Amino acid sequence: MMLLFILCAVVGALRDVTGAPLARKMVDMSYRFDDTTLHFPGTKEFEIIVVRNGTMEENGIWVQSEEYSSSTHVGTHMDAPAHFTKGGLTIDQIPVHRFIAPAAVIDITAKAQLDRDAEATVEDLLHWESITGQTLNETIVLLKTGWGKKWNNRTDFFGTPENDATKLHFPGLAPDAATWLVENRNIYGIGTETLSFEKGATRTYPVHQTLLGHGIYGLENVANVDKIPIYGAKLYVLPMKVGRASGAPTRIIATYPIILDPPSSSN
């Protein structure tokens, strides 16, 4: 624990023996957006039509192009405040400085293994601040639950074999933790490995209402959360700039110093 604290304290200034910045690792935290992408029950699935894939007869030039249709809330995507807040910011209105920020990885994997509806609590948030010596202010909070390993198994990922939103089971953020965050910290976004950043069993979406209602965006179906350290990574969140939209497919890139590389068995 002490070693982790020391590493976190100096990570922003780490340099090698030559004085050059320490090498950084890059992680793609988005799933591929295609017709295999998992989506919340009731949302429109991704569909793609090949318009052209070959040589044009008129000039001999080879061209490939497609058309696609999809819900804006499919795969790795962003929920804008407008998703649950009348008059809230849409995707194109969110200040871009909020898209680049440190990641605060809240690890609740152990209790999620015991309870599919486990929740990250205020105590979990304070524990992260205690062991890292950092504040959650101006971070993007990521929930690490182990659900990324279930992505290729739809039944395990949804917590039910049925395509029924009332029977979903997966972990999320507790409503009182969401309230604590808006009252005590200034975070930019909340992200999760699962379909939603609150537990699947909810029907009233209190966490969405609280966080989005205070201008905080959400990231859902985030990939490779287990491949970054709990502190020390910087996120680059790149939503498609869809005008007037409540959501958008999003590419998320993380970088962090190699010295903080999580063990391969991490989860």
Side-chain angles (χ1 to χ4, degrees):
M1 191 68 71
M2 180 59 68
L3 177 59
L4 172 63
F5 183 85
I6 293 171
L7 286 172
C8 290
V10 301
V11 67
L14 284 175
R15 292 177 177 271
D16 66 20
V17 293
T18 69
L22 197 70
R24 298 182 70 85
K25 190 164 185 176
M26 187 174 293
V27 179
D28 186 345
M29 303 188 71
S30 305
Y31 291 110
R32 189 173 63 186
F33 190 49
D34 63 15
D35 54 7
T36 68
T37 302
L38 296 180
H39 56 90
F40 200 88
T43 57
K44 179 176 174 53
E45 300 180 40
F46 178 96
E47 295 180 85
I48 191 165
I49 299 172
V50 176
V51 176
R52 188 183 296 273
N53 190 346
T55 302
M56 299 173 66
E57 294 182 2
E58 58 269 32
N59 55 24
I61 298 174
W62 186 89
V63 175
Q64 177 177 329
S65 64
E66 303 82 25
E67 296 176 353
Y68 76 88
S69 62
S70 172
S71 166
T72 55
H73 295 269
V74 166
T76 305
H77 69 275
M78 177 180 288
D79 283 0
H83 187 37
F84 269 75
T85 306
K86 185 177 181 179
L89 295 175
T90 53
I91 287 292
D92 55 309
Q93 296 173 329
I94 299 172
V96 294
H97 76 270
R98 291 177 172 263
F99 295 156
I100 302 175
V105 180
I106 311 300
D107 189 350
I108 62 167
T109 304
K111 60 181 173 181
Q113 289 176 338
L114 299 175
D115 179 7
R116 292 181 301 175
D117 297 315
E119 294 180 314
T121 63
V122 174
E123 289 72 23
D124 292 316
L125 300 175
L126 290 172
H127 178 67
W128 182 91
E129 292 192 329
S130 175
I131 64 174
T132 63
Q134 303 296 312
T135 176
L136 290 168
N137 285 331
E138 299 182 351
T139 66
I140 300 168
V141 173
L142 294 180
L143 303 183
K144 179 181 176 183
T145 62
W147 246 244
K149 296 184 181 299
K150 304 176 187 289
W151 178 256
N152 292 317
N153 186 321
R154 188 182 184 283
T155 296
D156 284 352
F157 194 79
F158 281 39
T160 175
E162 301 179 48
N163 190 36
D164 184 343
T166 68
K167 298 181 179 180
L168 300 173
H169 292 282
F170 48 76
L173 185 70
D176 62 343
T179 299
W180 182 86
L181 281 170
V182 300
E183 292 180 349
N184 296 278
R185 297 293 185 269
N186 173 31
I187 68 168
Y188 291 163
I190 176 80
T192 181
E193 298 175 278
T194 62
L195 287 170
S196 171
F197 46 86
E198 54 195 314
K199 66 181 183 181
T202 185
R203 300 271 35 93
T204 56
Y205 304 100
V207 178
H208 277 71
Q209 293 186 60
T210 298
L211 295 184
L212 273 59
H214 284 80
I216 297 167
Y217 61 76
L219 301 169
E220 295 170 335
N221 300 317
V222 180
N224 295 321
V225 176
D226 61 333
K227 290 183 170 55
I228 65 173
I230 65 167
Y231 169 74
K234 177 177 282 189
L235 297 184
Y236 299 81
V237 180
L238 308 170
M240 183 186 297
K241 193 174 182 180
V242 183
R244 305 185 303 279
S246 67
T250 302
R251 194 72 178 265
I252 305 169
I253 307 298
T255 67
Y256 63 89
I258 288 178
I259 194 172
L260 294 180
D261 207 9
S264 59
S265 60
S266 173
N267 207 22

